[in-house]
Amino acid sequence: MAATYDAIVVGGGHNGLVAAAYLARSGARTLVLEGRHKTGGAATPEAPWPAAPEFKVTRLSYVMSLMPPTIISELDLARHGYQIYPMGPYYQAFADGGSIKLYADDAKRNHEEVARWSRKDAEAMPRWDAWLEGLAEVLGPLLLTVPPALGSHRPRDLAGTLRLAWRHKGLDVRTIADVTRLMTMSIADLLDDWFESPQVKGALAVNGVIGTWAGPYEPGTAYVMAHHSIGDIGDGHLGNWGFQEGGMGAVADAIGSAAREQGATVRTGARVARVLLEGGRAAGVVLDNGEEIRAGVVVTSLHPQTAFLAHVGRENLPDDFVSDIERWKSRSGVVKINLALAELPDFTADPGTNLAEHHTGSVEMAPSMEYIERAFQDAREGRAAAFPFSDGVIPTSFDKTLSPEGTHVMSLFTQWVPADWNTEPHTDELRAYADRMIDCYNEVAPNFKSSILHTDIVGPYDMEHDYGLIGGNIFHGELSLEQLFHMRPAPGYADYRTPVPGLYYASSATHAGGGVCGIPGMQAAKAAITDKKAARRRRQRAR
C-alpha cells in the first residue's frame, strides 16, 4: 500500500524546507522529497575538490539577506545554527589606480570615500540613502504581502485588492511617482539622475544586475537594485548582507533541523516523476521508481516549468496558464567561480595580504557602468564576456571553518555568458571565461592568480542539470517587470495556490522570490493551512 501523509513537499531547497517546517508546525504529518543526495538546493555545502576536502563552499548561493525576522523567530533558527556575520563594505579597486569602499551603515565614511571621486556625489549620497529608506518603507512590507488577483471579481480577490489599496492609502503623489520610476527605469538612468562619478555609479549599479539577464541600461533593473537593497540580516541596517557561519549550506541545514524538530520527515534521493491527481485534485506524488506516496496537500518548490508542465502535465491545466508557464523567462548567463586561495588578494590600491576591511565585503569587478554593459552586450551578441562582471566575496574573512588555517575561499558570482549555454556544458569556453575573470582581478591584485590553489566553475548547464535551475537562473525566473508581484508566476495564481486544488507553489518564481529568503515557502504553507481550516469549517457547518 502507498504511504500516506497529510502533506508532501516536493524539493528540499530552502523554500521547500521552510514550507515543511510550517506545515509540520501546524500538526500536519509532512514529508519532504528531495531528488538529490542532500537537501539545500542552491544553498548546499559541498567540498568540490576531492584532493582538498578541507575546503568547503556553497557552490551557488553565497550571501544572506531578505529572510524576514518572522521566519527566523517563528522557526527559532538561531537555536538550530543560524548565525550571520554582517559583511563589510562594497570594494572596487581600479586598474588605473585608487579604490572605493561603500558602507551599509556609516554615512561619514561613505562621504569620505565618495568625495575622493566627486564632492558633488558625496553630498548626494545621504539624500540617496534617505530616498532608498523611504522606498523601503513601501516596498519592504510588500515582500510579505500575498499579491491579489488584480482584475478578478471573486469576493476573496476583491477583498485582497481592497486591503492592498487601504494599506497604501496614505501614500502621496511623490512617493507613488518614485515607486513608478523605480519599477520602470534602468539602474543606469536612475543613477545618472543622482550621481556624476563613473566609479560611484559602477559600485551602486551592482545590485541592479545581479543574477539578471539584463545590463544596467535595461528598464526594470532599478527595481532589481531595490529588491536587493530593502532587506537586512537582522541587525537593523537597510540593505545589509552577511555570511552564514559554516557557509550558506548551514542556512538550509538550520531550516531542515527546525522542520525535523517539528516532526517533518525528509527523504533524499527521492526524485518525483509526477503529481498524482484524483478527481482533478492533488492526491500525492509518484517517484521515478514508481513508488506512490499519498497526501491531501502537495507543495512544490521546483521551477514552474518542472512543477507544472512536467509533473502535472499540460493536459491537466488551463490553456492560458500553460501558455503563461511556457513563456516564463529564465535566462541567466551567470557563471559561479569558486576558488581556494593560499593567501588574500594583495590590491595595489590597498596593499597587504593580511586581513583588512576591504577583504570582508563584496570585492567587485564592476569599475564602471560601461564595463558592466559591455559584458552583457557580449553575451547578448552570442559570446562570453571578454571582461566579465563579478560580485566576489571572501567568507573566510569571518568564518574560519571553511578552509585550513592561513588559506581562504573566494566566491565569484560572475556574468555574462550567452543565454543558451544551459543547453551544452561549454567546458572549454567556461575555462577560458574563468581565466579572463581571474585576469581582471589579477590586474588590480597582482598576487591573485598565483594564489589560486583550486578552481570550481559552475556554468548554466550545471545549474540546470545538477540543481534544477532551468536556464541557470537563480531566481527560478527573471525579476523583470512583467514577472513581478501579481504576475509571478502567472496572472491569477500569485497567491501560492495553483489551478490544481490541493497543490501549492513555494518556488522562488513566486512573489518575493529571489535570494535565500524563505518567504515563498512560508506563504505556500500558510495558504495550505488556511484552506484546510476553511474546508474543516465548511464540513462542520454541513453537519
Side-chain angles (χ1 to χ4, degrees), residues 188-222:
D189 286 342
L190 180 64
L191 292 175
D192 282 345
D193 285 349
W194 285 85
F195 304 103
E196 64 178 10
S197 165
Q199 293 84 1
V200 173
K201 288 189 284 188
L204 292 175
V206 168
N207 278 346
V209 296
I210 289 287
T212 303
W213 181 254
Y217 291 92
E218 294 284 324
T221 49

Side-chain angles (χ1 to χ4, degrees), residues 127-151:
R127 297 194 299 274
W128 166 260
D129 290 339
W131 185 73
L132 277 182
E133 287 183 17
L135 288 175
E137 292 179 3
V138 177
L139 297 176
L142 281 180
L143 291 179
L144 290 172
T145 297
V146 177
L150 299 179

Side-chain angles (χ1 to χ4, degrees), residues 46-49 52-58 244-247 338-344 355 393-411 451 453-454:
E46 300 184 57
W49 303 295
E54 64 274 19
F55 288 95
K56 299 177 178 62
V57 301
T58 306
Q244 162 68 35
E245 184 177 49
N338 301 300
L339 303 171
L341 303 179
E343 61 183 358
L344 288 167
L355 181 63
V393 296
I394 308 173
T396 44
S397 61
F398 292 97
D399 187 353
K400 309 305 181 186
T401 69
L402 302 177
S403 68
E405 183 67 29
T407 64
H408 288 273
V409 167
M410 189 170 185
S411 166
S451 74
L453 302 172
H454 305 282

Side-chain angles (χ1 to χ4, degrees), residues 479-504:
L479 291 176
S480 50
L481 188 58
E482 78 279 11
Q483 293 190 172
L484 295 177
F485 200 52
H486 68 289
M487 303 289 285
R488 197 165 183 87
Y493 298 100
D495 63 350
Y496 311 93
R497 296 170 175 86
T498 75
V500 178
L503 178 65
Y504 299 85

Side-chain angles (χ1 to χ4, degrees), residues 77 115 125 153 165 181 191-192 329 343 345 359 411 413 425 497 502:
L77 293 185
M125 187 63 73
H153 294 164
R181 294 173 75 236
L191 292 175
D192 282 345
K329 296 199 297 293
E343 61 183 358
H359 294 120
S411 166
F413 192 86
R497 296 170 175 86

Side-chain angles (χ1 to χ4, degrees), residues 498-523:
T498 75
V500 178
L503 178 65
Y504 299 85
Y505 195 44
S507 152
S508 287
T510 63
H511 172 58
V516 182
C517 69
I519 295 172
M522 176 188 71
Q523 297 285 38

Side-chain angles (χ1 to χ4, degrees), residues 59 104 134 193 242 285 296 351 443:
R59 297 184 76 204
D193 285 349
V285 299
E443 188 174 8

